[in-house]
Amino acid sequence: WSSDVCSSDLEEGLDIPELEPFADDLLMSMFSCLHQGQTRAMQESCLTGIATVAEIFEDLFEPYYGHVMPALKHIVANALDEKDRTLRGKSFECISVIGSVVSKEMFTPDAHEVMQQLVQLMQAGFAADDQMRESVREASGRIADKLGKDFRPYVPNLLPILFEVLKNRPKEIDGEDIPDDDDEDEAEDMTLASINGKFWGLKTILLEEMKECLDRKSTR
């Protein structure tokens, strides 16, 4: 199963009428490739494809829920090697995307099971450049939105983590260290502001995480 089919092609403006005749074959192929796990790259591409189809189909994805959710939970429970962090993060994201489109009744038991793992990960903490950090943040946010008031049991454990994130402060940046406009990767990594002739910067991923934390606090 090619990564092009699993991700890019599905995002090129396809809608339900165009996709529905092929949905069974498409999803079953991705489920099979995900289960076989021949390569990590193929599994990650299939996760992207499954999440994309779920977003397109919304509640019409429910008949496929029982086929894919056990496989996704198996990955997040067993992909514990350091080299599997991106795969595990994408699995959390895929679970949360699927959970956001199916009924709350269908997703709730699995949501609580997955949240226990997410809480453990957040309590352990992440390095600022950990690729899994953003996946966990986005997944927990979607699950919180879906569970609503039923998310409250996790709030006491998560609030200290949110407050810790909010402690991050911009650091003064030497003008010579500011990335060139041509260096897109470096420029996107740091959000900069000029105040009273001095440059201050904060890693963009931390800034986004702080915003997410404030959003979560305001909705609980």
Side-chain angles (χ1 to χ4, degrees), residues 5 68 201:
V5 173
V68 67

Side-chain angles (χ1 to χ4, degrees), residues 130-162:
D130 192 333
Q131 294 179 337
M132 197 173 173
R133 182 188 191 113
E134 185 173 1
S135 295
V136 168
R137 175 175 57 83
E138 292 186 358
S140 60
R142 289 193 191 97
I143 294 174
D145 288 339
K146 190 68 175 187
L147 292 183
K149 293 181 179 180
D150 293 332
F151 191 79
R152 286 179 178 174
Y154 306 105
V155 173
N157 288 322
L158 294 181
L159 276 180
I161 300 170
L162 302 185

Side-chain angles (χ1 to χ4, degrees), residues 65 69 73 92 95 104-120 143-144 146-154:
Y65 185 89
M69 189 56 66
K73 292 197 299 180
F92 279 124
I95 287 172
K104 180 179 177 180
E105 292 72 22
M106 177 176 286
F107 183 52
T108 293
D110 294 318
H112 286 300
E113 183 178 337
V114 171
M115 272 307 305
Q116 292 177 13
Q117 298 178 64
L118 290 173
V119 168
Q120 291 177 359
I143 294 174
K146 190 68 175 187
L147 292 183
K149 293 181 179 180
D150 293 332
F151 191 79
R152 286 179 178 174
Y154 306 105

